[in-house]
Amino acid sequence: MIESVVRGTVRQLTPLLLGMSVTAGLIGVVTWGVQAIGQLEQQRTQQHLLETLLEESGTDHQPVHASADDSINSADASKSVLHASPGAKPLGAPGNPIVRVALLSQSPPRSVDLSGQVECRLSNGKVVQKRTLNQLIAGHHSNFVTCHSGQTGTIVVNERSYPETVYFLNRGHGWTVINQLPMERYVASVVGAEMPSHWNPEALKAQAVAARSYALVHLVRPADSDFNLGDTTRWQAYGGLESQSVATTDATKATQGLVLSFKGGLVESLYASTSEIAAEAHSHLGASMSQHGAQNLAMEGLKFNEILGRYYVGASLARLKTDGN
């Protein structure tokens, strides 16, 4: 549900030079061990940045548009833009890269449950059972555990379920839990955490594009050496499997790979609950969407691209390049 708080970062973006050249095939496979997280640290310390090709969307999607007369609390989208130059390859498929989300809302982890085909291993490859894992997270020693959900499994942290891969990392200063999953699955959960799933489908689609564009910025510019962004409203809310529904999945699929672009750069699409909050928190940073405003516009009959055009004036829709493009 939407709360009266600010979503997204509240700091000025420094224009960076980001890689936008094409990737091909599976970029990397995460192995058990601290190196799995270290790959992200290497991206940061060596200033390796996302390599992906943004293409202007084709005839199947209309461009984002809005005239100066019908914009609503609009701001200059160029203030929130990152621009392109060569960088490093991200993990995952080109059109659906991997994102690592720190489960800060579940910190510290108090309990872990494993269901289905989940398998957990220490950094040395030794299998860890649920009981042992719970004993480990109750302690304070440095350690690293990787849990893979398999096809049917789920990893439950503090009674909240997460898919794909979950890392339990302790570098000697307490436990950090990190959920690693494909971008599109992440976006479907963010949409449900940020908007009520029963809202108009066009509002949900606008939220999906904004969430994807925001997340992609943090693939390029990670929040931390071990993760791309957190799961709280300091970044954008993420609730794992519990905030994903048929409606949010449909909105994500309908906008798959679409992000906001401005003159070849990537827009960090800030947003907040209402226009008043968006203006107060983000007016000095650039364009920002009102979530309640997006719902109202959708109820008036506007399509998702038209809604985005009202808030991110001057931006256009671009698509992450896939192998087939």
Side-chain angles (χ1 to χ4, degrees), residues 2-270:
I2 295 180
E3 304 168 359
S4 296
V5 295
V6 175
R7 300 307 201 274
T9 184
V10 291
R11 55 184 174 143
Q12 180 80 40
L13 270 180
T14 301
L16 300 176
L17 298 179
L18 307 182
M20 297 290 183
S21 58
V22 63
T23 58
L26 185 62
I27 299 307
V29 178
V30 177
T31 56
W32 287 304
V34 179
Q35 291 80 7
I37 298 294
Q39 290 180 23
L40 186 59
E41 186 170 6
Q42 183 182 34
Q43 283 186 348
R44 181 188 178 100
T45 58
Q46 297 182 1
Q47 296 184 343
H48 286 176
L49 302 170
L50 181 65
E51 259 188 3
T52 206
L53 181 64
L54 294 181
E55 295 189 50
E56 291 300 324
S57 58
T59 56
D60 56 330
H61 288 90
Q62 298 178 14
V64 170
H65 65 277
S67 68
D69 293 335
D70 63 8
S71 60
I72 301 174
N73 291 332
S74 62
D76 186 1
S78 64
K79 291 182 180 180
S80 300
V81 176
L82 287 79
H83 295 285
S85 78
K89 297 176 179 179
L91 295 174
N96 192 15
I98 295 297
V99 60
R100 290 186 176 128
V101 187
L103 305 181
L104 302 179
S105 67
Q106 305 305 316
S107 180
R110 299 179 302 277
S111 64
V112 180
D113 196 10
L114 310 174
S115 64
Q117 300 176 338
V118 177
E119 183 177 74
C120 300
R121 292 179 181 261
L122 294 169
S123 57
N124 62 8
K126 182 179 178 181
V127 174
V128 178
Q129 302 300 327
K130 179 175 68 175
R131 180 178 178 181
T132 303
L133 177 55
N134 277 283
Q135 290 173 344
L136 285 175
I137 65 172
H140 304 286
H141 299 292
S142 299
N143 221 316
F144 181 77
V145 181
T146 302
C147 295
H148 293 294
S149 68
Q151 294 296 317
T152 62
T154 57
I155 302 145
V156 184
V157 182
N158 297 351
E159 300 184 352
R160 178 171 288 181
S161 299
Y162 297 94
E164 304 287 343
T165 301
V166 172
Y167 299 112
F168 297 87
L169 175 66
N170 189 336
R171 295 191 182 277
H173 305 286
W175 289 94
T176 300
V177 186
I178 300 168
N179 189 193
Q180 175 179 286
L181 71 167
M183 174 70 76
E184 295 303 310
R185 193 165 193 179
Y186 165 74
V187 169
S189 177
V190 170
V191 173
E194 288 286 358
M195 278 188 173
S197 295
H198 66 268
W199 273 19
N200 190 287
E202 296 302 316
L204 297 179
K205 292 175 189 177
Q207 179 65 67
V209 175
R212 186 183 296 108
S213 188
Y214 182 86
L216 193 61
V217 166
H218 287 275
L219 257 71
V220 176
R221 189 199 60 196
D224 186 85
S225 59
D226 290 325
F227 55 85
N228 298 110
L229 70 175
D231 67 339
T232 68
T233 55
R234 165 64 181 80
W235 290 271
Q236 50 188 7
Y238 167 70
L241 292 174
E242 294 179 13
S243 60
Q244 183 175 350
S245 66
V246 172
T248 67
T249 300
D250 287 346
T252 302
K253 288 181 178 178
T255 63
Q256 184 168 355
L258 290 178
V259 294
L260 288 164
S261 178
F262 183 83
K263 294 184 178 179
L266 181 65
V267 177
E268 182 176 40
S269 43
L270 305 174

Side-chain angles (χ1 to χ4, degrees), residues 292-313:
H292 279 94
Q295 167 67 357
N296 292 337
L297 291 172
M299 295 300 291
E300 292 174 10
L302 273 67
K303 300 299 183 183
F304 78 92
N305 58 301
E306 297 171 316
I307 295 169
L308 292 169
R310 292 292 187 98
Y311 294 105
Y312 306 102
V313 176

Side-chain angles (χ1 to χ4, degrees), residues 270-281:
L270 305 174
Y271 56 90
S273 176
T274 67
S275 295
E276 292 75 18
I277 297 173
E280 179 181 356

